[in-house]
Amino acid sequence: MSSNKPQPSHQTVQAELRPGQSIELLKALHILTREGRLNQDSRRKLKQVEHLVQFIEKVLGELSPHGDELTLADHGAGKSYLGFILYDLLLKDAGRGTVYGIETRAELVERSRALATRLGFARMHFLNIAAADAAHDAALPERIDVVTALHACDTATDDAIAFGLAKQAQAMVLVPCCQAELAACLRQNKALQLSRTPLAELWRHPLHTRELGSQLTNVLRCLYLESQGYSVTVTELVGWEHSLKNELIIARHTGHKKRSAAERLHALLAQFGLQSLAATRYARALSPSVVS
Ligand SMILES: C[S@@+](CC[C@H](N)C(=O)[O-])C[C@H]1O[C@@H](n2cnc3c(N)ncnc32)[C@H](O)[C@@H]1O
């Protein structure tokens, strides 16, 4: 059925783009159609990514006020919308800044490599590896300044955090995806917890198990980052009408490791019957070097 709705003109689309933004890139990413138009889905995606780029721009400005070299690693890069748009808007003309995209799907990595070559984005590199293996991959530098993860599936966000800690990242910008690992632990211990505490009502119904699992995961991630010397802010990425997975966690390295955060993290794990995660997900919070 054909729609009678008027299509936005090319000029209208231009007004939605940032000055100097590459039309060729947006077409190659299928954000713009071949005719240079935006459909509803791609407009939503563009808005989301550009919003995140604005947050990252602020972080880069703080880290490198004089335009020094910076390295960024994007975990669960997918088609690398974030990496490409960030490079196009912030790094391409600045002549500095290297982006590493980390992605498990080989075909997406190949596609991104080909696109970067075609556009001459020489300081973009793509690695076909899992986030959990990235910290030990010889193709990555010893230190990475900024770690990003936009909707990296399930525990890939935790792996990105572990990577950031191993690489002594100055900042981490994370928009978590759906979360299954912690919800599975809550589910497993449900009967026991219901007999022990009325708090278990918070996750008795399966939908609540999933929702609380996501919320608790992000709370624990924040505490973990604070325990490892980061200040953390949590905010919305864009309005809820644009995405349900909308929580933005920005962690900036201060070097002040908060013992109280590590203690609270462990108290929460105990309260919710999740102690099994302490050694796997939050291993560094066990370290005696956590002070103050
Ligand atoms: C929901 S997509 C998001 C892609 C992209 N960041 C975006 O927002 O458009 C998640 C991507 O993470 C990748 N992925 C999932 N687990 C991963 C892991 N452990 N390490 C690296 N990539 C992973 C998937 O293959 C997928 O491309």
Side-chain angles (χ1 to χ4, degrees), residues 45 76-78 81 102-105 108 129-131 150-153 156 159:
K45 186 77 198 171
Y81 294 114
I102 293 161
E103 168 57 50
T104 42
R105 284 176 58 190
L108 297 183
I129 52 173
L150 172 58
H151 298 152
C153 312
D159 295 332

Side-chain angles (χ1 to χ4, degrees), residues 158-208:
D158 301 292
D159 295 332
I161 292 172
F163 172 90
L165 297 179
K167 295 285 184 185
Q168 300 167 52
Q170 294 300 307
M172 301 193 215
V173 180
L174 312 162
V175 183
C177 196
C178 42
Q179 217 290 327
E181 182 182 62
L182 193 144
C185 294
L186 286 176
R187 208 170 290 121
Q188 204 174 24
N189 300 329
K190 201 180 283 189
L192 176 64
Q193 294 297 328
L194 276 166
S195 69
R196 281 177 44 188
T197 166
L199 266 185
E201 291 296 334
L202 288 174
W203 69 97
R204 181 158 62 93
H205 296 286
L207 179 65
H208 293 163

Side-chain angles (χ1 to χ4, degrees), residues 105-130:
R105 284 176 58 190
E107 75 280 15
L108 297 183
V109 171
E110 279 313 315
R111 237 168 83 169
S112 295
R113 282 181 183 150
L115 181 57
T117 304
R118 193 176 111 201
L119 296 172
F121 287 6
R123 288 170 282 109
M124 288 194 81
H125 308 284
F126 300 93
L127 284 79
N128 183 204
I129 52 173

